Amino acid sequence: MWENMIEAVIGLLMFVNGEIKEARLQSSMAECLRGKRTAERQYSETVSYKCWKGKAELEDNIDGSRSIKKLIIEWNG
């Protein structure tokens, strides 16, 4: 348990003033898009949501669930 692992994930990202403030692990893109639609019902000029597919470092929570600790952004500049 308690070992951080890097895996391919789908995450629902919350941006506040253009900065990522929260990343929630999602089981599928469909679940992510549903969550995005639900979250966007509470309109805020400074908050936006995006579904993202990529790699992330995950961590195990005390209740046995997993969460995104850090997004891994691959740059092909």
Side-chain angles (χ1 to χ4, degrees), residues 7 14 17 26 32 34 37 60:
E7 294 184 19
M14 179 178 77
N17 293 321
Q26 305 292 298
C32 187
R34 274 193 300 274
R37 280 192 302 272
D60 293 322

Side-chain angles (χ1 to χ4, degrees), residues 4-57:
N4 296 334
M5 304 191 57
I6 294 176
E7 294 184 19
V9 299
I10 297 170
L12 177 56
L13 309 182
M14 179 178 77
F15 291 82
V16 178
N17 293 321
E19 186 176 318
I20 298 172
K21 288 296 182 184
E22 189 173 329
R24 292 269 174 118
L25 193 58
Q26 305 292 298
S27 62
S28 67
M29 188 58 78
E31 178 189 15
C32 187
L33 292 169
R34 274 193 300 274
K36 179 179 183 276
R37 280 192 302 272
T38 300
E40 286 177 337
R41 288 184 189 140
Q42 291 263 315
Y43 176 76
S44 171
E45 193 173 302
T46 59
V47 179
S48 63
Y49 299 88
K50 290 192 178 10
C51 290
W52 180 79
K53 186 176 183 178
K55 292 182 182 175
E57 184 177 327

